[in-house]
Amino acid sequence: MAVSFPIPSYFTAIFIISRLMSIIGISKHWNNIKLRPPLDNITDKLSLDPSAIESASQDFGHIVKSIPKAVLQPSSIVDIASLISFSYNSSIPFTIAAKGHGHSVRGQAMASDGVVVNMASMKKHRNGTGIWVSNDGVYADVGGEQLWIDVLNATLKHGVAPVSWTDYLYLTVGGTLSNGGISGQSFRYGPQISNVYEMDVITGKAEIVTCSPNKNSELFYAALGGLGQFGIITRARIPLEPAPKRVKWIRMLYNDFTAFTRDQELLISINGRHDSHALDYLEGSLLMDHGSPDNWRSSFFPPKHHPKIISSITNHRIIYCLEVVKHYDDQTQNTVDK
């Protein structure tokens, strides 16, 4: 996610003078630009590798391509703060963007002629400390570079888990909290940005700030869903609840849009966080008569049902699907079907 400042094309010489002088031949600028102390700590972590540059130039959407001058491979949050500090205090500021797994679709994690911070680089330097579950299992402190799938696996070892997810879990914590984090649990538990106790954020002034609803609250609410424009999220404290023991998963198909939306609205209306009658997951989708059968998530349906589903899609052109989930355990297994 980008914190934007204007930048001239020759800024690269500032960053990796010892490595770039012979490459881009702009030594004449060095006499007019002083290297600030924060830069000394990260010059060896700024990469000009063509493959790193190319990877940082695109994202999942493949709609926007924006080429940075360098990629920072940080080993700590201090490295990120040093880079931002250098830009903020420089007479030649530049664009900085934090990139997790690059699942943005409109170039939000790119930095044209700037520096992309490869957040994944921090994982290998954490030494297993990127995800920490509290002794009472009430919350987990999670690095912004961590994947949600790893958060899930770590918390399940303690019998607990976050309650709000994205449908795809190979996304970074900082990335989804900078956007929203929405899935079929959101109608009941809210998006992921509504399930955060506190965060550490590096601001555009390179300040490492701990914020929460009661402490530096303006930054807290600005950074959550702020698309990276108010800082880079480096840690989040996520609330946990007991993980479900069992799950009842049902997919209901409709050929009548009115009936489909009526039922979905009814089920969404039963949404109390502690309401035992509420579903734990609810999501609607369309199955359309074009493209590969995978377009309607055929793997979610038993193979013996495929011919009937395909026939319905062919006849009606569009079929509507409700996926509903209810958690249960040994005490509630006799009533889950209700």
Short mmCIF file of all heavy atoms in Angstrom, two decimals, residues 130-181:
data_model
loop_
_atom_site.label_atom_id
_atom_site.label_comp_id
_atom_site.label_asym_id
_atom_site.label_seq_id
_atom_site.Cartn_x
_atom_site.Cartn_y
_atom_site.Cartn_z
N GLY A 130 6.42 -14.43 14.75
CA GLY A 130 5.46 -13.62 14.01
C GLY A 130 4.02 -13.81 14.44
O GLY A 130 3.16 -12.96 14.16
N ILE A 131 3.73 -14.92 15.11
CA ILE A 131 2.37 -15.19 15.61
C ILE A 131 2.49 -15.66 17.06
O ILE A 131 3.13 -16.68 17.34
CB ILE A 131 1.67 -16.28 14.77
CG1 ILE A 131 1.62 -15.87 13.30
CG2 ILE A 131 0.26 -16.53 15.30
CD1 ILE A 131 1.16 -16.99 12.37
N TRP A 132 1.91 -14.90 17.97
CA TRP A 132 1.98 -15.25 19.39
C TRP A 132 0.57 -15.25 19.97
O TRP A 132 -0.15 -14.25 19.89
CB TRP A 132 2.85 -14.24 20.15
CG TRP A 132 2.99 -14.56 21.61
CD1 TRP A 132 3.85 -15.46 22.18
CD2 TRP A 132 2.22 -14.00 22.69
NE1 TRP A 132 3.67 -15.50 23.55
CE2 TRP A 132 2.67 -14.61 23.88
CE3 TRP A 132 1.20 -13.05 22.74
CZ2 TRP A 132 2.14 -14.29 25.13
CZ3 TRP A 132 0.66 -12.73 24.00
CH2 TRP A 132 1.13 -13.34 25.17
N VAL A 133 0.18 -16.39 20.53
CA VAL A 133 -1.15 -16.54 21.12
C VAL A 133 -1.05 -16.33 22.62
O VAL A 133 -0.18 -16.92 23.29
CB VAL A 133 -1.73 -17.94 20.83
CG1 VAL A 133 -3.11 -18.10 21.46
CG2 VAL A 133 -1.80 -18.17 19.31
N SER A 134 -1.92 -15.49 23.18
CA SER A 134 -1.89 -15.21 24.62
C SER A 134 -2.16 -16.48 25.42
O SER A 134 -2.80 -17.42 24.94
CB SER A 134 -2.93 -14.14 24.97
OG SER A 134 -4.25 -14.61 24.72
N ASN A 135 -1.67 -16.50 26.64
CA ASN A 135 -1.80 -17.69 27.48
C ASN A 135 -3.26 -18.08 27.73
O ASN A 135 -3.58 -19.26 27.87
CB ASN A 135 -1.09 -17.46 28.82
CG ASN A 135 0.41 -17.36 28.66
OD1 ASN A 135 0.99 -17.95 27.75
ND2 ASN A 135 1.06 -16.61 29.55
N ASP A 136 -4.15 -17.08 27.79
CA ASP A 136 -5.56 -17.38 28.02
C ASP A 136 -6.33 -17.61 26.72
O ASP A 136 -7.54 -17.86 26.74
CB ASP A 136 -6.22 -16.26 28.83
CG ASP A 136 -6.04 -14.88 28.19
OD1 ASP A 136 -5.57 -14.82 27.02
OD2 ASP A 136 -6.36 -13.87 28.85
N GLY A 137 -5.64 -17.50 25.57
CA GLY A 137 -6.29 -17.76 24.29
C GLY A 137 -7.30 -16.70 23.89
O GLY A 137 -8.13 -16.95 23.00
N VAL A 138 -7.20 -15.51 24.46
CA VAL A 138 -8.15 -14.45 24.17
C VAL A 138 -7.76 -13.68 22.91
O VAL A 138 -8.63 -13.18 22.19
CB VAL A 138 -8.29 -13.50 25.38
CG1 VAL A 138 -9.13 -12.28 25.04
CG2 VAL A 138 -8.88 -14.25 26.56
N TYR A 139 -6.47 -13.58 22.64
CA TYR A 139 -6.03 -12.82 21.47
C TYR A 139 -4.73 -13.38 20.93
O TYR A 139 -4.04 -14.18 21.60
CB TYR A 139 -5.87 -11.34 21.79
CG TYR A 139 -4.77 -11.04 22.81
CD1 TYR A 139 -3.45 -10.90 22.40
CD2 TYR A 139 -5.07 -10.90 24.17
CE1 TYR A 139 -2.44 -10.62 23.32
CE2 TYR A 139 -4.07 -10.62 25.09
CZ TYR A 139 -2.76 -10.49 24.66
OH TYR A 139 -1.76 -10.23 25.57
N ALA A 140 -4.38 -12.96 19.73
CA ALA A 140 -3.09 -13.30 19.13
C ALA A 140 -2.45 -12.03 18.61
O ALA A 140 -3.12 -11.19 18.00
CB ALA A 140 -3.27 -14.30 17.99
N ASP A 141 -1.16 -11.86 18.89
CA ASP A 141 -0.38 -10.78 18.30
C ASP A 141 0.26 -11.33 17.03
O ASP A 141 0.99 -12.33 17.07
CB ASP A 141 0.69 -10.29 19.27
CG ASP A 141 0.13 -9.34 20.30
OD1 ASP A 141 -0.77 -8.55 19.95
OD2 ASP A 141 0.58 -9.38 21.45
N VAL A 142 -0.02 -10.67 15.91
CA VAL A 142 0.34 -11.21 14.61
C VAL A 142 1.08 -10.15 13.79
O VAL A 142 0.64 -9.00 13.70
CB VAL A 142 -0.93 -11.65 13.85
CG1 VAL A 142 -0.55 -12.28 12.52
CG2 VAL A 142 -1.74 -12.62 14.69
N GLY A 143 2.19 -10.53 13.19
CA GLY A 143 2.93 -9.63 12.32
C GLY A 143 2.13 -9.31 11.07
O GLY A 143 1.41 -10.17 10.54
N GLY A 144 2.24 -8.08 10.59
CA GLY A 144 1.48 -7.68 9.41
C GLY A 144 1.84 -8.48 8.17
O GLY A 144 1.06 -8.56 7.23
N GLU A 145 3.02 -9.10 8.16
CA GLU A 145 3.47 -9.87 7.00
C GLU A 145 2.99 -11.32 7.02
O GLU A 145 3.17 -12.07 6.06
CB GLU A 145 5.00 -9.86 6.94
CG GLU A 145 5.70 -10.79 7.92
CD GLU A 145 5.64 -10.34 9.39
OE1 GLU A 145 5.29 -9.16 9.63
OE2 GLU A 145 5.96 -11.15 10.27
N GLN A 146 2.36 -11.73 8.11
CA GLN A 146 1.93 -13.13 8.27
C GLN A 146 0.71 -13.44 7.40
O GLN A 146 -0.15 -12.58 7.18
CB GLN A 146 1.61 -13.43 9.73
CG GLN A 146 2.78 -13.24 10.67
CD GLN A 146 3.91 -14.23 10.42
OE1 GLN A 146 3.66 -15.42 10.19
NE2 GLN A 146 5.15 -13.75 10.47
N LEU A 147 0.61 -14.68 6.95
CA LEU A 147 -0.55 -15.14 6.18
C LEU A 147 -1.64 -15.60 7.14
O LEU A 147 -1.37 -16.20 8.18
CB LEU A 147 -0.17 -16.29 5.25
CG LEU A 147 0.88 -16.00 4.16
CD1 LEU A 147 1.12 -17.27 3.35
CD2 LEU A 147 0.42 -14.87 3.26
N TRP A 148 -2.89 -15.37 6.73
CA TRP A 148 -4.01 -15.79 7.58
C TRP A 148 -4.06 -17.31 7.75
O TRP A 148 -4.47 -17.81 8.79
CB TRP A 148 -5.33 -15.28 7.01
CG TRP A 148 -5.56 -13.83 7.28
CD1 TRP A 148 -5.46 -12.79 6.41
CD2 TRP A 148 -5.91 -13.24 8.55
NE1 TRP A 148 -5.72 -11.60 7.04
CE2 TRP A 148 -6.01 -11.84 8.35
CE3 TRP A 148 -6.15 -13.75 9.82
CZ2 TRP A 148 -6.34 -10.97 9.38
CZ3 TRP A 148 -6.49 -12.88 10.84
CH2 TRP A 148 -6.58 -11.50 10.62
N ILE A 149 -3.62 -18.06 6.75
CA ILE A 149 -3.61 -19.51 6.89
C ILE A 149 -2.66 -19.93 8.00
O ILE A 149 -2.93 -20.88 8.76
CB ILE A 149 -3.23 -20.20 5.55
CG1 ILE A 149 -3.33 -21.72 5.67
CG2 ILE A 149 -1.84 -19.79 5.09
CD1 ILE A 149 -4.73 -22.24 5.90
N ASP A 150 -1.55 -19.22 8.15
CA ASP A 150 -0.60 -19.52 9.22
C ASP A 150 -1.15 -19.09 10.58
O ASP A 150 -0.89 -19.75 11.60
CB ASP A 150 0.74 -18.84 8.95
CG ASP A 150 1.43 -19.38 7.71
OD1 ASP A 150 1.24 -20.57 7.40
OD2 ASP A 150 2.15 -18.61 7.04
N VAL A 151 -1.90 -17.99 10.59
CA VAL A 151 -2.56 -17.57 11.83
C VAL A 151 -3.55 -18.65 12.27
O VAL A 151 -3.60 -19.02 13.45
CB VAL A 151 -3.29 -16.23 11.63
CG1 VAL A 151 -4.07 -15.86 12.89
CG2 VAL A 151 -2.29 -15.13 11.29
N LEU A 152 -4.32 -19.16 11.33
CA LEU A 152 -5.29 -20.21 11.65
C LEU A 152 -4.60 -21.44 12.22
O LEU A 152 -5.01 -21.97 13.27
CB LEU A 152 -6.09 -20.58 10.41
CG LEU A 152 -7.08 -21.74 10.56
CD1 LEU A 152 -8.13 -21.43 11.62
CD2 LEU A 152 -7.73 -22.08 9.24
N ASN A 153 -3.56 -21.91 11.55
CA ASN A 153 -2.87 -23.12 12.00
C ASN A 153 -2.25 -22.93 13.38
O ASN A 153 -2.25 -23.85 14.21
CB ASN A 153 -1.80 -23.52 10.99
CG ASN A 153 -2.40 -24.04 9.69
OD1 ASN A 153 -3.50 -24.60 9.69
ND2 ASN A 153 -1.69 -23.88 8.59
N ALA A 154 -1.72 -21.73 13.64
CA ALA A 154 -1.09 -21.48 14.94
C ALA A 154 -2.12 -21.40 16.06
O ALA A 154 -1.90 -21.94 17.16
CB ALA A 154 -0.29 -20.17 14.88
N THR A 155 -3.25 -20.76 15.80
CA THR A 155 -4.27 -20.62 16.85
C THR A 155 -5.01 -21.92 17.11
O THR A 155 -5.41 -22.20 18.25
CB THR A 155 -5.26 -19.51 16.49
OG1 THR A 155 -5.86 -19.79 15.21
CG2 THR A 155 -4.57 -18.15 16.43
N LEU A 156 -5.19 -22.74 16.07
CA LEU A 156 -5.89 -24.02 16.26
C LEU A 156 -5.15 -24.94 17.23
O LEU A 156 -5.77 -25.78 17.90
CB LEU A 156 -6.07 -24.73 14.92
CG LEU A 156 -7.17 -24.18 14.00
CD1 LEU A 156 -7.20 -24.94 12.69
CD2 LEU A 156 -8.54 -24.23 14.68
N LYS A 157 -3.83 -24.77 17.32
CA LYS A 157 -3.07 -25.57 18.28
C LYS A 157 -3.49 -25.28 19.71
O LYS A 157 -3.25 -26.09 20.62
CB LYS A 157 -1.57 -25.29 18.11
CG LYS A 157 -1.01 -25.76 16.78
CD LYS A 157 0.46 -25.39 16.64
CE LYS A 157 1.01 -25.82 15.29
NZ LYS A 157 2.44 -25.44 15.11
N HIS A 158 -4.10 -24.12 19.92
CA HIS A 158 -4.58 -23.73 21.25
C HIS A 158 -6.10 -23.89 21.37
O HIS A 158 -6.69 -23.47 22.37
CB HIS A 158 -4.19 -22.27 21.53
CG HIS A 158 -2.71 -22.03 21.50
ND1 HIS A 158 -1.93 -22.03 22.63
CD2 HIS A 158 -1.87 -21.78 20.46
CE1 HIS A 158 -0.66 -21.79 22.29
NE2 HIS A 158 -0.61 -21.63 20.98
N GLY A 159 -6.73 -24.43 20.32
CA GLY A 159 -8.17 -24.64 20.36
C GLY A 159 -8.99 -23.40 20.11
O GLY A 159 -10.18 -23.36 20.39
N VAL A 160 -8.36 -22.36 19.56
CA VAL A 160 -9.05 -21.09 19.30
C VAL A 160 -8.77 -20.65 17.87
O VAL A 160 -7.91 -21.20 17.19
CB VAL A 160 -8.61 -20.00 20.29
CG1 VAL A 160 -9.09 -20.31 21.71
CG2 VAL A 160 -7.08 -19.84 20.27
N ALA A 161 -9.52 -19.63 17.43
CA ALA A 161 -9.34 -19.11 16.07
C ALA A 161 -10.00 -17.74 15.98
O ALA A 161 -10.94 -17.43 16.74
CB ALA A 161 -9.96 -20.05 15.04
N PRO A 162 -9.55 -16.89 15.05
CA PRO A 162 -10.30 -15.66 14.75
C PRO A 162 -11.68 -16.02 14.22
O PRO A 162 -11.89 -17.13 13.72
CB PRO A 162 -9.44 -14.99 13.66
CG PRO A 162 -8.07 -15.58 13.82
CD PRO A 162 -8.30 -16.99 14.26
N VAL A 163 -12.61 -15.08 14.31
CA VAL A 163 -13.98 -15.38 13.87
C VAL A 163 -14.30 -14.84 12.49
O VAL A 163 -15.25 -15.28 11.84
CB VAL A 163 -15.03 -14.84 14.88
CG1 VAL A 163 -14.88 -15.52 16.22
CG2 VAL A 163 -14.91 -13.32 15.02
N SER A 164 -13.52 -13.88 12.02
CA SER A 164 -13.83 -13.26 10.73
C SER A 164 -12.66 -13.48 9.77
O SER A 164 -11.50 -13.25 10.12
CB SER A 164 -14.09 -11.76 10.90
OG SER A 164 -14.56 -11.19 9.70
N TRP A 165 -12.98 -13.92 8.56
CA TRP A 165 -11.96 -14.32 7.61
C TRP A 165 -12.22 -13.70 6.25
O TRP A 165 -13.22 -13.04 6.01
CB TRP A 165 -11.96 -15.84 7.45
CG TRP A 165 -11.66 -16.58 8.69
CD1 TRP A 165 -12.56 -17.12 9.58
CD2 TRP A 165 -10.37 -16.86 9.23
NE1 TRP A 165 -11.91 -17.72 10.62
CE2 TRP A 165 -10.56 -17.58 10.44
CE3 TRP A 165 -9.07 -16.58 8.81
CZ2 TRP A 165 -9.50 -18.02 11.22
CZ3 TRP A 165 -8.01 -17.03 9.58
CH2 TRP A 165 -8.23 -17.74 10.78
N THR A 166 -11.28 -13.95 5.34
CA THR A 166 -11.54 -13.82 3.92
C THR A 166 -11.71 -15.23 3.38
O THR A 166 -11.26 -16.21 4.00
CB THR A 166 -10.35 -13.14 3.21
OG1 THR A 166 -9.14 -13.84 3.57
CG2 THR A 166 -10.23 -11.69 3.63
N ASP A 167 -12.36 -15.38 2.24
CA ASP A 167 -12.59 -16.73 1.70
C ASP A 167 -11.27 -17.40 1.31
O ASP A 167 -11.16 -18.62 1.32
CB ASP A 167 -13.51 -16.67 0.49
CG ASP A 167 -14.96 -16.41 0.90
OD1 ASP A 167 -15.30 -16.66 2.07
OD2 ASP A 167 -15.75 -15.96 0.05
N TYR A 168 -10.29 -16.60 0.92
CA TYR A 168 -8.97 -17.10 0.54
C TYR A 168 -8.00 -16.70 1.64
O TYR A 168 -7.88 -15.51 1.96
CB TYR A 168 -8.57 -16.50 -0.81
CG TYR A 168 -7.25 -16.99 -1.35
CD1 TYR A 168 -7.08 -18.31 -1.75
CD2 TYR A 168 -6.16 -16.12 -1.46
CE1 TYR A 168 -5.87 -18.77 -2.25
CE2 TYR A 168 -4.94 -16.56 -1.97
CZ TYR A 168 -4.80 -17.89 -2.36
OH TYR A 168 -3.60 -18.33 -2.86
N LEU A 169 -7.31 -17.68 2.24
CA LEU A 169 -6.52 -17.41 3.44
C LEU A 169 -5.04 -17.17 3.17
O LEU A 169 -4.29 -16.88 4.11
CB LEU A 169 -6.68 -18.56 4.43
CG LEU A 169 -8.10 -18.80 4.95
CD1 LEU A 169 -8.10 -19.91 6.00
CD2 LEU A 169 -8.70 -17.53 5.53
N TYR A 170 -4.61 -17.26 1.92
CA TYR A 170 -3.20 -17.01 1.62
C TYR A 170 -3.00 -15.52 1.30
O TYR A 170 -2.46 -15.14 0.27
CB TYR A 170 -2.74 -17.91 0.47
CG TYR A 170 -2.64 -19.36 0.90
CD1 TYR A 170 -3.76 -20.18 0.89
CD2 TYR A 170 -1.44 -19.89 1.35
CE1 TYR A 170 -3.69 -21.50 1.31
CE2 TYR A 170 -1.35 -21.21 1.78
CZ TYR A 170 -2.48 -22.02 1.75
OH TYR A 170 -2.40 -23.32 2.17
N LEU A 171 -3.46 -14.69 2.22
CA LEU A 171 -3.34 -13.24 2.16
C LEU A 171 -2.67 -12.78 3.44
O LEU A 171 -2.78 -13.43 4.48
CB LEU A 171 -4.72 -12.59 2.04
CG LEU A 171 -5.64 -13.05 0.90
CD1 LEU A 171 -7.02 -12.47 1.07
CD2 LEU A 171 -5.06 -12.64 -0.43
N THR A 172 -2.00 -11.65 3.40
CA THR A 172 -1.32 -11.17 4.59
C THR A 172 -2.28 -10.42 5.51
O THR A 172 -3.27 -9.83 5.07
CB THR A 172 -0.15 -10.24 4.24
OG1 THR A 172 -0.63 -9.11 3.50
CG2 THR A 172 0.90 -10.97 3.43
N VAL A 173 -1.95 -10.45 6.78
CA VAL A 173 -2.76 -9.76 7.79
C VAL A 173 -2.79 -8.25 7.51
O VAL A 173 -3.84 -7.62 7.50
CB VAL A 173 -2.20 -10.04 9.20
CG1 VAL A 173 -2.89 -9.17 10.24
CG2 VAL A 173 -2.38 -11.52 9.54
N GLY A 174 -1.62 -7.67 7.26
CA GLY A 174 -1.56 -6.23 6.99
C GLY A 174 -2.31 -5.86 5.73
O GLY A 174 -2.94 -4.80 5.65
N GLY A 175 -2.28 -6.74 4.73
CA GLY A 175 -2.97 -6.46 3.48
C GLY A 175 -4.47 -6.41 3.62
O GLY A 175 -5.12 -5.47 3.15
N THR A 176 -5.05 -7.41 4.29
CA THR A 176 -6.52 -7.42 4.41
C THR A 176 -7.01 -6.36 5.39
O THR A 176 -8.07 -5.77 5.19
CB THR A 176 -7.04 -8.81 4.85
OG1 THR A 176 -6.54 -9.14 6.14
CG2 THR A 176 -6.64 -9.88 3.85
N LEU A 177 -6.22 -6.08 6.44
CA LEU A 177 -6.64 -5.04 7.38
C LEU A 177 -6.52 -3.65 6.76
O LEU A 177 -7.18 -2.72 7.22
CB LEU A 177 -5.81 -5.11 8.66
CG LEU A 177 -6.01 -6.37 9.52
CD1 LEU A 177 -5.21 -6.27 10.81
CD2 LEU A 177 -7.48 -6.61 9.82
N SER A 178 -5.72 -3.51 5.72
CA SER A 178 -5.65 -2.25 5.00
C SER A 178 -6.80 -2.09 4.01
O SER A 178 -6.99 -1.01 3.46
CB SER A 178 -4.31 -2.13 4.26
OG SER A 178 -3.24 -2.07 5.16
N ASN A 179 -7.53 -3.16 3.79
CA ASN A 179 -8.64 -3.13 2.83
C ASN A 179 -10.00 -3.31 3.50
O ASN A 179 -10.88 -2.50 3.32
CB ASN A 179 -8.44 -4.22 1.77
CG ASN A 179 -7.41 -3.83 0.74
OD1 ASN A 179 -7.74 -3.20 -0.25
ND2 ASN A 179 -6.16 -4.20 0.96
N GLY A 180 -10.18 -4.37 4.24
CA GLY A 180 -11.47 -4.63 4.86
C GLY A 180 -11.54 -6.04 5.42
O GLY A 180 -11.77 -6.25 6.59
N GLY A 181 -11.33 -7.02 4.55
CA GLY A 181 -11.37 -8.41 4.99
C GLY A 181 -12.79 -8.92 5.14
O GLY A 181 -13.31 -9.02 6.25
#
